[in-house]
Every structure is written in structure tokens, then in C-alpha cells.
Amino acid sequence: AFRRICDGLFAAAAHDGLRDEAMGLLKGVAAHVFLVVSSNEKDIIRIDSDGSTTDPFQSPDGYESSDHIDGKIKPLKPFGCFRLSGPLNGDINPFAFNQSLVDALSGCSTLAATEVIHFVIDMFRRINTKIKERNSGDNNN
């Protein structure tokens, strides 16, 4: 359902009469997804196609995955396979937004998708700047 909502918003953004409202919602959803994922990054576990953890730092069994050879990680079989745990282990997959974004980039909503990407990048830069300023202020005290 979340994926269809995102697809619908990108489709609406391609229509002049709906663009402003759709873009406001898309930017809000993108910001929410970014903040939820970045604040719960420890709950996103990269896995291979067999469901084995490919990150030795998150694998309780060490190098049990078929993606490890001599302690080194091989290229992932399919890129972008993740297991969500903790608060992200719910009914809504935040990565569904990325799938809609990719479809919009390759479809009729290229401008909307590009604008959303720039919005998220700018938001990341603003947050990063604030964190650096706060940390430098703490170091001066």
C-alpha cells in the first residue's frame, strides 16, 4: 500500500494542477523515510539472496554466509537486500519509497523525482552542518 501511495504521488506531481500538493507530500514522505532510516541504521541488516547476513559485524555466527571467502565479503548476489529489525520490522518497508523514486526517474515524473532527491540531499547537508556546529561548540566549552 505504501508503494502505491508513493507511486500515486509521483504520478500526481507530473500534472500541473496537482504538482504543488503532491510535491509537498513527496518531500514530507522523503524526509520522514530519511530520518527514520538514518536514526535506526543498526536495524537495517544487509543480507544475501539466501537470507544470510553479509556484514560480519552484524553476524552473530561470524563468517557463516556464503558471501564470505577467507574473511572477505564477496560482491552481493542481488544488491539491495536487507532484513529490517527493531522498530523498522513492521508492515511498511521504508525502502518502498526508493523503488517508487527509481520508477519515477525512469518514467514520466523525472523532474519530481530529481527535485525530491535534491531536497533530501539539502536536508542532509543542513542536518550535518548543525551537528558539526554543535560538536564544535561542545569542544570549545
Side-chain angles (χ1 to χ4, degrees):
F2 179 58
R3 169 80 190 271
R4 288 191 178 140
I5 291 169
C6 296
D7 288 343
L9 289 172
F10 277 113
H15 297 285
D16 291 335
L18 302 173
R19 179 171 170 67
D20 291 341
E21 290 81 5
M23 287 306 299
L25 291 170
L26 280 168
K27 289 177 181 180
V29 170
H32 181 76
V33 167
F34 173 79
L35 293 171
V36 166
V37 168
S38 62
S39 62
N40 292 286
E41 65 182 85
K42 69 182 181 323
D43 296 313
I44 302 170
I45 302 163
R46 193 171 60 174
I47 60 173
D48 63 17
S49 61
D50 301 324
S52 301
T53 302
T54 61
D55 186 346
F57 300 107
Q58 292 179 327
S59 176
D61 302 324
Y63 297 105
E64 295 299 319
S65 172
S66 61
D67 282 336
H68 292 90
I69 296 177
D70 298 327
K72 295 181 181 177
I73 298 176
K74 297 188 307 186
L76 293 177
K77 294 173 188 166
F79 178 73
C81 290
F82 301 95
R83 180 182 305 123
L84 304 177
S85 64
L88 297 179
N89 187 19
D91 294 333
I92 297 177
N93 180 349
F95 295 122
F97 183 80
N98 292 2
Q99 295 166 342
S100 291
L101 184 65
V102 169
D103 288 347
L105 281 169
S106 62
C108 65
S109 299
T110 305
L111 292 175
T114 304
E115 187 174 331
V116 169
I117 290 170
H118 287 290
F119 172 80
V120 172
I121 291 170
D122 291 341
M123 183 180 66
F124 169 76
R125 287 180 177 155
R126 287 191 309 271
I127 291 170
N128 196 35
T129 299
K130 287 180 183 181
I131 291 170
K132 286 180 181 179
E133 289 171 356
R134 182 175 294 150
N135 288 343
S136 68
D138 290 344
N139 292 336
N140 292 334
N141 292 331

